[in-house]
Amino acid sequence: MAVSSPAPSSLRVPMAAAALLGMLMMMSSAPEMKVEAAGGLSVGFYAESCPKAEAIVRDTVTKAFEKAPGTPADLIRLFFHDCFVRGCDASVLLESTPGNKAERDNKANNPSLDGFDVVDDAKDLLEKECPHTVSCADILSLVARDSAYLAGGLDFEIPTGRRDGFVSKEDEVLSNVPHPEFGAKDLLKNFTAKGFTAEEMVTLSGAHSIGTSHCSSFTDRLYKYYGAYGTDPSMPAAYAADMKSKCPPETAAQQDTTMVQLDDVTPFKMDNQYYRNVLAGNVTFASDAALLDTPETAALVRLYAAGDPAAWLARFAAALVKVSKLDVLTGGEGEIRLNCSRIN
């Protein structure tokens, strides 16, 4: 499909997304009740065992957001990196132990992953309210949902009932999470392996509408695109110059902590500005620029960039819920951790 051609019915987002938005909003305004969902999860899972659970999590995230507006981006990324490795089992929260290096210490996660303290704060409050009841895996899904609400304004329900896993391995991260330097084919391969369509992949990429990146994640595009030297020609000259001023060559070191906003226009607001940035070439990651490399993904970028921001947000909410169901542990599987950073 050529990028300039009219979008086929499967890509005509606004009307379908508007309907989805209405459905999500009606769900969020309905009285809390347990609604069965696929995979042993259900909306309102804690309605009887811990009625205040979701309110406690949202209050915790809101307080963190008021202190640090970058919190939603941190929590959504933490949730995503958990679910794409071993499923949504809170394995990313486990700390390394003698003889086992955990996911959180992989170079893709350390030092860039953040938000652990918010999850711990919520867990501490929930253990006081309802001891040994709410899983860390559910907390991760709820903080991601609440982050999308605080940064994007879209309220929606997410099913709960997950249990926590026992295993976390550093060497499983890089083969499961998408890399900043991925091209379009690598991205599609990564997401389709997890059961996501190209449309959902482009939709979820919009999480880069908020958040920051360490310079080391993209300095090769600035200084070593042609091997020893050169700048990625897909980066507009003005944008490349701005990034070079913020990320001089020495920031390429993995240990360097220099960071930049992924979206300079609306850095703390989840909206479709990200897709406009992709079209303009004003994106840090090669993986973001790569969304224009296939007709299907480029058409979706143009569609989201030109459409109503609420349309993309509604689709993002649906995709986030789908992520939250990846390879979950339920029923008698796993455990309910008393401390999210270690198994019981």
Side-chain angles (χ1 to χ4, degrees):
M1 179 184 65
V3 174
S4 58
S5 300
S9 59
S10 63
L11 298 185
R12 287 176 189 151
V13 174
M15 183 175 295
L20 177 60
L21 175 62
M23 180 183 71
L24 290 168
M25 295 302 287
M26 284 190 291
M27 287 173 63
S28 66
S29 61
E32 185 174 6
M33 57 184 294
K34 188 172 182 178
V35 180
E36 293 300 323
L41 304 178
S42 59
V43 172
F45 181 84
Y46 297 108
E48 295 181 4
S49 61
C50 191
K52 296 181 181 178
E54 295 196 21
I56 288 171
V57 174
R58 176 159 294 191
D59 184 59
T60 303
V61 178
T62 300
K63 288 178 179 177
F65 172 66
E66 290 170 349
K67 294 179 180 178
T71 296
D74 294 336
L75 294 174
I76 290 173
R77 184 165 182 259
L78 187 62
F79 157 79
F80 185 85
H81 276 232
D82 178 53
C83 292
F84 260 51
V85 182
R86 289 189 166 267
C88 304
D89 65 347
S91 56
V92 76
L93 302 179
L94 289 173
E95 293 179 343
S96 295
T97 57
N100 181 68
K101 193 174 182 181
E103 293 171 28
R104 65 192 287 171
D105 288 324
N106 183 278
K107 65 179 182 180
N109 294 334
N110 189 356
S112 60
L113 272 192
D114 208 346
F116 296 96
D117 56 331
V118 181
V119 175
D120 288 342
D121 288 346
K123 180 62 173 175
D124 289 345
L125 291 170
L126 288 167
E127 283 301 311
K128 293 176 182 176
E129 178 73 19
C130 314
H132 207 190
T133 302
V134 182
S135 70
C136 300
D138 274 343
I139 294 173
L140 274 174
S141 290
L142 290 170
V143 298
R145 186 273 307 268
D146 294 341
S147 293
Y149 167 69
L150 291 167
L154 179 61
D155 206 359
F156 57 96
E157 298 288 2
I158 200 164
T160 44
R162 299 163 195 79
R163 289 172 65 86
D164 302 321
F166 299 112
V167 179
S168 182
K169 296 183 177 181
E170 179 270 341
D171 60 6
E172 294 181 345
V173 175
L174 293 181
S175 60
N176 282 285
V177 299
H179 304 185
E181 68 274 15
F182 268 4
K185 290 183 179 179
D186 290 327
L187 283 171
L188 289 169
K189 182 180 179 180
N190 178 262
F191 276 81
T192 55
K194 302 294 182 183
F196 293 91
T197 65
E199 180 179 331
E200 289 167 333
M201 184 267 286
V202 175
T203 300
L204 288 166
S205 295
H208 289 169
S209 172
I210 54 175
T212 58
S213 168
H214 284 79
C215 292
S216 58
S217 295
F218 64 93
T219 45
D220 280 359
R221 292 189 72 205
L222 297 176
Y223 303 108
K224 296 183 180 180
Y225 192 75
Y226 294 108
Y229 61 91
T231 302
D232 184 347
S234 71
M235 297 183 79
Y239 183 73
D242 181 46
M243 289 297 103
K244 286 180 178 179
S245 70
K246 296 173 180 176
C247 298
E250 57 267 25
T251 62
Q254 179 70 31
Q255 297 78 17
D256 191 90
T257 58
T258 307
M259 294 185 290
V260 297
Q261 295 289 344
L262 293 176
D263 173 13
D264 277 336
V265 183
T266 55
F268 302 113
K269 182 179 180 182
M270 288 191 72
D271 55 20
N272 61 345
Q273 179 62 43
Y274 162 79
Y275 298 99
R276 298 184 182 121
N277 294 343
V278 172
L279 288 176
N282 297 334
V283 285
T284 59
F285 298 148
S287 59
D288 289 328
L291 296 183
L292 298 180
D293 289 348
T294 73
E296 182 179 12
T297 55
L300 287 161
V301 170
R302 295 180 188 279
L303 194 64
Y304 286 151
D308 182 350
W312 166 69
L313 277 171
R315 293 227 165 187
F316 182 81
L320 196 74
V321 170
K322 184 172 177 178
V323 172
S324 80
K325 297 177 183 178
L326 278 174
D327 299 323
V328 295
L329 303 173
T330 59
E333 301 172 310
E335 66 176 1
I336 304 296
R337 285 183 215 147
L338 299 177
N339 183 311
C340 290
S341 65
R342 58 178 181 267
I343 62 175
N344 295 341

